[in-house]
Amino acid sequence: VMVREDYEAARYWAEYLREEMNHDKLYLGDLGRHGISRDLVSTTPPFASTLDLIATLERRIMEFGSLPAVAYSVFVEWNSRHASPLAAARAAEAFGQNCVNGARAHIAIDERDHHDEMMLAVATRVMGARNYSTGLLATLLSEVGALLRAYFVELDGYSSAMSVRLIRTSKS
């Protein structure tokens, strides 16, 4: 879709996606240090909130072209720049530096390659090609934020339930 909207934006987008497709390996390394295998990750069904995020993005892409996908990336890259370093520092304090090497490497890549700025530039080009207002981008960012919040609420509930199970199992 983006190739028809703005060919140059599509080039940047493709470069970004190629790199991002390998970042799961960084996080899988961190999870492995906690005893969570790649097989466990790949066989664990997605949360309901994840399915809702995917369905919403697919629906919005059908409605607005590539901009919703780019809005998702704008949101997560902004988060990587502003919130992830603090989250990684807190995780390192709780679990040890070795358990956040992948997360820290991902943050460093995003900073080095200015992914937040790159995604804003792509969004600006796509909005211009389609004559969309910045208000639409703001709406999409708000939707993405709400969907990701739902994911983290669900993740917190899941991890709390798992902690209770582990405590009960260790007392048995």
Side-chain angles (χ1 to χ4, degrees), residues 4 9-10 23 27 30 33 51 55-56 62 72 85 96 123 161 170:
R4 291 187 304 271
H23 288 184
Y27 291 106
D30 288 350
R33 289 178 194 87
L51 296 173
T56 301
M62 294 302 294
Y72 170 86
S170 69

Side-chain angles (χ1 to χ4, degrees), residues 91-166:
E93 190 175 302
F95 302 110
Q97 178 59 42
N98 192 41
C99 291
V100 295
N101 288 340
R104 289 229 164 115
H106 182 240
I107 293 165
I109 291 166
D110 286 345
E111 288 177 359
R112 179 194 71 215
D113 294 344
H114 306 283
H115 281 171
D116 56 337
E117 295 169 17
M118 178 189 283
M119 288 303 96
L120 279 172
V122 170
T124 300
R125 290 190 68 115
V126 169
M127 288 187 309
R130 287 198 167 234
N131 294 315
Y132 288 150
S133 72
T134 56
L136 175 59
L137 180 60
T139 296
L140 293 169
L141 289 170
S142 180
E143 287 177 4
V144 167
L147 290 161
L148 288 174
R149 182 182 188 291
Y151 166 79
F152 283 107
V153 168
E154 192 172 3
L155 178 62
D156 182 59
Y158 176 80
S159 64
S160 295
M162 291 302 292
S163 295
V164 169
R165 279 191 224 156
L166 289 172

